[in-house]
Amino acid sequence: MSKYLITGGAGYIGSHVVKQLIEKKNDIVIVDNLSTGFQKTVNTLKKYALTKKVKLGFYKLDLADSKKLETVFAKENVQGVIHFAASIVVSESVRDPLKYYSNNTGNTINLLKACLKYKVNKFIFSSTAAVYGDPDPKTIPLKESGITIPISPYGSSKLFNEKIIQDVAFANTNFKYVILRYFNVAGASVDGMLGQSTKDATHLIKIALETTLGKREKMFINGTDYNTPDGTCIRDYIYVDDLASAHIKSLYYLNKNKGGIFNCGYGKGFSVKDVISMMKKVSGNDFKVETTKRREGDPAIVIADNSKIVNEMDWKPKYDDLKIMCETALAWEKKL
Ligand SMILES: NC(=O)c1ccc[n+]([C@@H]2O[C@H](COP(=O)([O-])OP(=O)(O)OC[C@H]3O[C@@H](n4cnc5c(N)ncnc54)[C@H](O)[C@@H]3O)[C@@H](O)[C@H]2O)c1
């Protein structure tokens, strides 16, 4: 049994990872300022930890407060850190870049300093496909070794972190890291315990959910003139519990390896129209969809080459199925 510190564990992806860590009988310390995460999620996880007879501690704390953060490290004696906490809205990052560079990059430096001071040498970081920017279609599916030119401050803030983490690992022999580049994360836990509660939806599936449940009158497709079979953008959607299992695999991987960067996706894509059709099918509601012009900076196709994580970590996704992603997300959204 180990104890892990999870930043952002009250948020969408972090909470699903905490659940799997609990199932593997690990103790957990969540650090979250609840800016976009939820106390209710922490309460759910605390109850779950009790049933599995493991400990779950929660600190409502901003990573900017490095003094308090260090007191957590001093007290808790954790064996590793999984770092989810971040600001994640791409369009907001364009309007307010300093928020992203301070919360995502500056606060990651605070966290890394605490790790070095308290000799916590396993670090897993949530990166993003946004580091690839607007990729050349010839480079799809995207490999980790490919070109990274982010087109938003959000993507840049994550790419800076990748570089900083790698430099820290280079300078500190014992420090090991895994950087996971998530593609489009979707769905909610199959047992209905957890899901995405985020209030300001910017992701396609969330918007489709809100539309089918009547929280929005209609939704828009941004651009139908892309060079794709149906003219709409294509993305690689990964089910949140499969992504969570990639974090568990990463912890095992670090027992024997120094570190690396890994794409997390299924290696295939669905178009905006595919997703909307699936949502209409699973909800049984032919909700209103209108088309509008392209959004600036939306690449036509973003698909991962996932062979590295599959081969090197023996990651075996179980839910490579858009229907399950839409069904579980819908079941969760109905409860909000
Ligand atoms: N959702 C996606 O599709 C996606 C895709 C690629 C990468 N990611 C990355 O995954 C991670 C988790 O994303 P999510 O979708 O779960 O988002 P989320 O907003 O649900 O979770 C982020 C959590 O971090 C907390 N947080 C933010 N700033 C903090 C701070 N300064 N101190 C303490 N806590 C703080 C929030 O309260 C929240 O609980 C992020 O790093 C994000 O960049 C997400």
Side-chain angles (χ1 to χ4, degrees), residues 7-16 30-38 59-65 83-89 102-104 107 125-130 154 157-158 180-186 195-198 203 238 240 243 247:
T7 76
Y12 169 45
I13 302 167
S15 60
H16 286 79
I30 292 176
V31 169
D32 197 302
N33 66 359
L34 301 184
S35 54
T36 56
F38 295 86
Y59 293 85
K60 184 172 183 295
L61 180 64
D62 194 301
L63 294 180
D65 190 341
H83 179 32
F84 297 97
S87 301
I88 70 161
V89 182
S102 35
N103 195 29
N104 296 1
N107 289 341
F125 174 61
S126 305
S127 192
T128 164
Y154 168 69
S157 70
K158 292 284 182 170
L180 297 174
R181 289 181 180 160
Y182 312 162
F183 282 61
N184 287 54
V185 189
Q196 187 170 24
S197 305
T198 324
H203 293 161
I238 174 168
V240 65
L243 178 63
H247 294 73

Side-chain angles (χ1 to χ4, degrees), residues 259-313:
I261 301 182
F262 297 87
N263 284 337
C264 294
Y266 291 135
K268 69 178 190 211
F270 291 100
S271 73
V272 174
K273 283 187 178 167
D274 290 334
V275 171
I276 292 173
S277 308
M278 183 58 81
M279 194 56 79
K280 286 187 173 181
K281 192 172 153 194
V282 302
S283 65
N285 177 16
D286 187 14
F287 53 86
K288 194 169 169 187
V289 180
E290 287 181 5
T291 57
T292 180
K293 61 181 184 353
R294 292 181 179 200
R295 274 189 317 203
E296 210 170 313
D298 269 344
I301 306 177
V302 182
I303 295 175
D305 178 330
N306 67 6
S307 50
K308 192 173 173 204
I309 190 165
V310 168
N311 295 332
E312 292 188 23
M313 290 193 191

